[in-house]
Amino acid sequence: MATQQSQQRRPRFLRHTRQREAILRVLRTTHEHPTADWIYQEVRKEIPHISLGTVYRNLKILTEMGEARELTFGSSYSRYDGDPTPHYHFLCDECGKIEDLDMPVMDSLESQAAEWTDGRITSHRLVFHGVCAECQKQQQ
Amino acid sequence: MATQQSQQRRPRFLRHTRQREAILRVLRTTHEHPTADWIYQEVRKEIPHISLGTVYRNLKILTEMGEARELTFGSSYSRYDGDPTPHYHFLCDECGKIEDLDMPVMDSLESQAAEWTDGRITSHRLVFHGVCAECQKQQQ
DNA sequence: ATACGTGCAAACGCTTTGCACTCTC
DNA sequence: GAGAGTGCAAAGCGTTTGCACGTAT
C-alpha cells in the first residue's frame, strides 16, 4: 500500500547541454505551466531532433534540483512550473488553466498543522479551485 | 494548451448494485486513502468476479456525486478519500502515506485569495509535506 | 578517455472504453 | 421492457527506459 519513493542513482555531476539549457529557458520564459509535450514542441523549434524522452529526463532532473516544480492536479498529465519560489495556484475547473497567485505565502500554516500530526512538516501546497474570469464571461 | 474538462453524458438516474454498494462501503470503512487497485482487491473478497473497470467507473461516479474525493499527489496513480467532508492532508515524502488532519478548515483563505485573482473561487486544497513519525524513527 | 546525455522506439502502468450480456427499476 | 451497470479484454496515453551513439568535461 505504502508507495516507497523510487530511489534512482544520480550522476556524480551534471553536464551542460544545448537540450537542457533550451528546456530550462522555455520553462523560465513561460507562465503557462506547460505540459512536457508543450515544452517538447517549443524546444523543437530550436532543436528539431530533440526527443520527448530527453524532455522528460531533464524535467525530472530540473525538478529534483529545485529549478522547477511538477504540478499534478488531476490524474492525467503533469504540468511544470518554471518559478521555483514558493507560491500558491488558482486552478480553473472549467478550462484547466492554472494561474499563479501573488498572495503572500503563509508559513504559519505549517506550525498550525504541526499541532495535528506527529510528522515533521517541511512544506505545504495550497491550491484554489474555481472558475477563471474568461470562463465566467462565456457562461453568461 | 488549456485542458478542456471532458464532458461525458450521465445516465438519467442511478441504480443500486451490489458492486457500487460494496465499493462505497470499502471506501467508507478505510482511512488508508486507497488506490483503485487496493479497493478492487478488497471488494473482490466479497464479489470475486468484479472487474477493475467497474471499480474505476464507480469511483468516478461516486466522486462526481461528492461521496468521495480523488487525491492526485504525484503523477502516478490516484488515491481515493472516502471522507467527503472538507479537510486537509499530510503527505509523507518518504513512504507516500497520506494522513487526514483534524485541524479546522480555514475558509478565510479563499476570501484572501480572491483579492489576487479575477476568478471566482469555490474551494481550496491544502496539503502539507514532510516526514511521518514512522519514517523519522527509521532514519535514526 | 570517461561517463553523462541523447535519440529512437519499445515497454510500462494506470485508466478508459467498446461490446455483449445482466440486472435493477 | 428499457436502459443503466457489469465483465472482459483491448485500447489509450502520458511517462519511463534500454541501448547504441554522441558529446561535454
Side-chain angles (χ1 to χ4, degrees):
Chain A
M1 184 73 227
T3 312
Q4 198 66 34
Q5 235 65 354
S6 65
Q7 196 76 19
Q8 77 181 60
R9 42 211 147 291
R10 287 277 79 146
R12 291 197 291 273
F13 52 90
L14 291 182
R15 285 186 176 155
H16 283 240
T17 63
R18 291 178 58 212
Q19 289 85 342
R20 184 163 298 163
E21 280 178 22
I23 290 168
L24 185 55
R25 191 175 342 111
V26 167
L27 216 47
R28 284 277 187 275
T29 54
T30 180
H31 290 215
E32 295 286 322
H33 305 84
T35 62
D37 192 69
W38 189 90
I39 296 170
Y40 170 57
Q41 302 298 346
E42 204 64 17
V43 174
R44 213 143 67 124
K45 295 174 184 172
E46 179 184 338
I47 311 176
H49 55 79
I50 195 174
S51 78
L52 190 51
T54 295
V55 173
Y56 275 107
R57 273 185 289 239
N58 278 295
L59 285 174
K60 185 167 221 172
I61 290 174
L62 290 170
T63 300
E64 290 176 357
M65 285 170 37
E67 296 296 322
R69 284 170 63 189
E70 186 181 3
L71 306 178
T72 55
F73 314 142
S75 54
S76 48
Y77 32 71
S78 290
R79 289 160 170 277
Y80 293 86
D81 190 336
D83 178 4
T85 64
H87 60 278
Y88 300 146
H89 291 108
F90 172 74
L91 172 58
C92 177
D93 291 326
E94 293 294 326
C95 68
K97 188 179 68 178
I98 299 171
E99 292 178 14
D100 286 328
L101 293 180
D102 283 329
M103 69 186 287
V105 171
M106 286 167 283
D107 290 324
S108 61
L109 292 173
E110 294 181 18
S111 46
Q112 286 181 58
E115 298 179 22
W116 301 86
T117 178
D118 293 328
R120 179 167 49 84
I121 295 175
T122 56
S123 66
H124 69 282
R125 296 195 173 200
L126 179 52
V127 182
F128 296 91
H129 287 249
V131 184
C132 71
E134 288 70 32
C135 286
Q136 285 185 64
K137 287 176 193 165
Q138 291 180 10
Q139 289 178 355
Q140 290 173 358
Chain B
M1 181 73 227
T3 311
Q4 198 66 33
Q5 235 66 355
S6 65
Q7 196 77 17
Q8 76 181 63
R9 42 212 146 291
R10 288 277 79 151
R12 291 199 289 273
F13 51 90
L14 291 181
R15 286 187 173 151
H16 283 239
T17 63
R18 290 178 59 212
Q19 290 85 343
R20 185 164 297 163
E21 280 178 22
I23 291 168
L24 185 55
R25 191 176 340 113
V26 167
L27 216 46
R28 285 278 187 275
T29 54
T30 182
H31 291 213
E32 295 287 321
H33 305 84
T35 62
D37 192 69
W38 189 90
I39 296 169
Y40 170 57
Q41 302 299 345
E42 204 64 18
V43 175
R44 211 142 69 122
K45 297 174 183 172
E46 179 185 338
I47 311 175
H49 55 79
I50 195 174
S51 78
L52 190 51
T54 295
V55 173
Y56 274 107
R57 273 185 289 239
N58 278 295
L59 285 174
K60 185 167 221 170
I61 291 175
L62 291 171
T63 300
E64 290 177 356
M65 287 170 34
E67 296 295 322
R69 284 170 65 188
E70 186 181 3
L71 305 178
T72 55
F73 315 143
S75 55
S76 48
Y77 33 70
S78 290
R79 288 160 171 275
Y80 294 86
D81 190 336
D83 178 3
T85 64
H87 59 278
Y88 299 145
H89 292 107
F90 171 74
L91 172 57
C92 176
D93 291 326
E94 293 294 326
C95 68
K97 188 178 66 179
I98 299 171
E99 292 178 15
D100 287 328
L101 293 180
D102 282 330
M103 68 186 288
V105 170
M106 287 166 283
D107 290 323
S108 60
L109 291 173
E110 294 181 19
S111 46
Q112 287 180 59
E115 297 179 23
W116 301 85
T117 178
D118 294 327
R120 179 167 50 83
I121 295 175
T122 56
S123 65
H124 69 282
R125 297 193 173 202
L126 179 52
V127 182
F128 297 91
H129 287 249
V131 184
C132 73
E134 288 70 31
C135 287
Q136 286 185 62
K137 287 176 193 166
Q138 291 179 12
Q139 289 177 356
Q140 289 174 1

